[in-house]
Amino acid sequence: QVQLVESGGGLVQPGGSLRLSCAASGRIFSIYTVGWYRQAPGKQRELVADITTAGTTHYADSVKGRFTISRDNAKNTVYLQMNSLKLEDTAFYYCNVPASTRNELGISWGQGTQVTVSS
């Protein structure tokens, strides 16, 4: 079963940057669209950005122009470069494939990586 491991989170001041990484135990990122999601306390998990196998990217309006998603198929890793971080970016961040693929392949959520933006 494919496992996902997120890393790179931490405490950063507003305006700062972080780069998140997500490593997969199997070669799913070269086959499927993959996204970064986040869940803030008391809120539902939301899609932040995703990237297709063709390299097309999509971003939530709240992060457009500040976050960049990229993928390294050879390393089975997806990245999220986060710049100009805001207080409202504070959340646990997760990577995964779309729900339909997730259900089909039985892929669970990883443990996530915590991002805290605070002055």
Side-chain angles (χ1 to χ4, degrees):
Q1 187 177 10
V2 174
Q3 293 186 333
L4 303 169
V5 179
E6 300 90 350
S7 62
L11 173 64
V12 63
Q13 292 185 338
S17 298
L18 284 173
R19 188 194 194 204
L20 307 183
S21 300
C22 173
S25 59
R27 300 187 56 158
I28 62 170
F29 292 160
S30 61
I31 302 172
Y32 302 104
T33 293
V34 61
W36 278 97
Y37 301 75
R38 69 184 179 187
Q39 186 168 20
K43 295 187 177 181
Q44 289 190 332
R45 189 172 291 167
E46 62 173 349
L47 178 64
V48 173
D50 64 22
I51 183 168
T52 69
T53 54
T56 302
T57 57
H58 304 92
Y59 297 92
D61 287 342
S62 58
V63 306
K64 202 171 294 183
R66 300 188 297 120
F67 290 11
T68 303
I69 188 172
S70 60
R71 185 183 63 226
D72 186 333
N73 291 339
K75 296 183 178 180
N76 298 323
T77 301
V78 175
Y79 304 97
L80 186 68
Q81 177 67 44
M82 306 187 298
N83 299 327
S84 302
L85 283 161
K86 303 178 180 180
L87 297 176
E88 53 264 39
D89 294 319
T90 295
F92 269 92
Y93 285 71
Y94 306 84
C95 71
N96 217 319
V97 294
S100 56
T101 305
R102 196 159 63 236
N103 295 335
E104 177 184 351
L105 300 180
I107 298 176
S108 300
W109 292 94
Q111 83 287 352
T113 186
Q114 186 171 12
V115 172
T116 303
V117 184
S118 175
S119 56

